[in-house]
Amino acid sequence: MHGAFEIVVDDREVAAGVLDHLQGAPDARVCVRRLRTGDYIVDGSAVFERKSASDFARSVIDGRLFSQAQRLTTQLARAAFILEDGPVTWEDLGVRREALQGALVSVNLIFGLPVLRTRDPAETAQVLLYAGRQLGRLRRAGPAPCRLNKGKRKRTRQLRILQGLPGVGSDRAQCLLNHFGSVQACFVASIEDLRQVAGIGLKTAQSIRELVG
């Protein structure tokens, strides 16, 4: 079918209800399989991680949100979160509003990942379909401008994430990445390990651990 695109759904998302609304779309080829990162891959070029409001709150509490965000930034494809909050009020989720707002700021500004808001599974499906149609039009319009190769793009994103940490500028971000080798290793490093990095003192190390710990 001219203009058709593919949406891959992670098999752990089947019960979420989004798949039911995707299957009726005439221009979408929908398949289900286990995905290593994200919940949906659209047109082979965009990865989406869907979270309900309660799951978003839990992921802030247990730290999963930032590790998931970090994994999404390492993908060559475009990536975004879908926050399916519906009628739930943040006060009902057992997390301070300030913590939730801080998490949204971090995901958007530090990790550079858009957060798309939807009401329910039906609207989430519509967002995925809109994305597929727009990405398909771009693909058919011709070659995209040349991008950095995967290795350089990954390092650029890693440095951008590290520069969002308290007290870390471009030079310290380079030192952290060179010392630990990955953003994940930086995030799990102890205060003592962080202090082994050139330019990272006790105050900065404590601030980093407080944010990502």
Side-chain angles (χ1 to χ4, degrees):
M1 180 189 300
H2 179 70
F5 55 90
E6 181 181 71
I7 298 180
V8 182
V9 181
D10 184 76
D11 58 8
R12 291 160 292 193
E13 275 285 296
V14 170
V18 178
L19 177 62
D20 296 335
H21 296 283
L22 291 174
Q23 288 177 325
D27 53 349
R29 301 186 302 271
V30 182
C31 63
V32 178
R33 67 170 184 261
R34 179 62 56 94
L35 298 178
R36 294 182 60 184
T37 302
D39 297 318
Y40 303 89
I41 298 177
V42 178
D43 198 49
S45 58
V47 180
F48 295 87
E49 176 81 26
R50 185 195 70 88
K51 286 189 175 298
S52 66
S54 58
D55 184 41
F56 184 86
R58 287 193 301 270
S59 68
V60 172
I61 294 171
D62 62 24
R64 281 184 297 116
L65 180 68
F66 298 123
S67 62
Q68 289 173 329
Q70 192 272 328
R71 286 198 300 273
L72 286 172
T73 63
T74 64
Q75 302 300 300
L76 187 58
R78 301 169 178 87
F81 279 95
I82 295 179
L83 178 54
E84 198 177 277
D85 48 9
V88 176
T89 60
W90 292 114
E91 290 75 11
D92 296 333
L93 298 175
V95 182
R96 291 185 302 109
R97 181 179 180 85
E98 292 81 1
L100 293 167
Q101 293 284 21
L104 288 170
V105 169
S106 295
V107 169
N108 278 281
L109 297 184
I110 295 178
F111 291 94
L113 296 169
V115 179
L116 310 177
R117 307 287 286 271
T118 63
R119 293 187 302 266
D120 52 33
E123 190 170 46
T124 296
Q126 283 301 317
V127 166
L128 296 172
L129 292 170
Y130 293 152
R133 289 161 188 155
Q134 293 185 32
L135 291 168
R137 283 195 291 271
L138 286 174
R139 171 169 43 79
R140 294 189 298 275
C146 181
R147 294 184 177 184
L148 293 172
N149 67 50
K150 186 173 182 180
K152 290 184 178 179
R153 188 177 183 210
K154 178 179 179 180
R155 183 172 177 85
T156 298
R157 286 182 166 184
Q158 289 174 320
L159 291 171
R160 184 173 62 189
I161 292 169
L162 293 175
Q163 288 176 42
L165 295 173
V168 177
S170 59
D171 291 341
R172 288 178 176 177
Q174 292 273 3
C175 291
L176 283 167
L177 190 55
N178 290 339
H179 182 88
F180 290 108
S182 70
V183 173
Q184 184 176 6
C186 295
F187 279 14
V188 300
S190 66
I191 291 175
E192 292 72 22
D193 289 337
L194 289 167
R195 292 185 66 191
Q196 301 302 311
V197 179
I200 303 296
L202 176 59
K203 184 177 180 180
T204 301
Q206 289 174 332
S207 298
I208 292 173
R209 283 306 315 151
E210 183 178 353
L211 176 66
V212 302

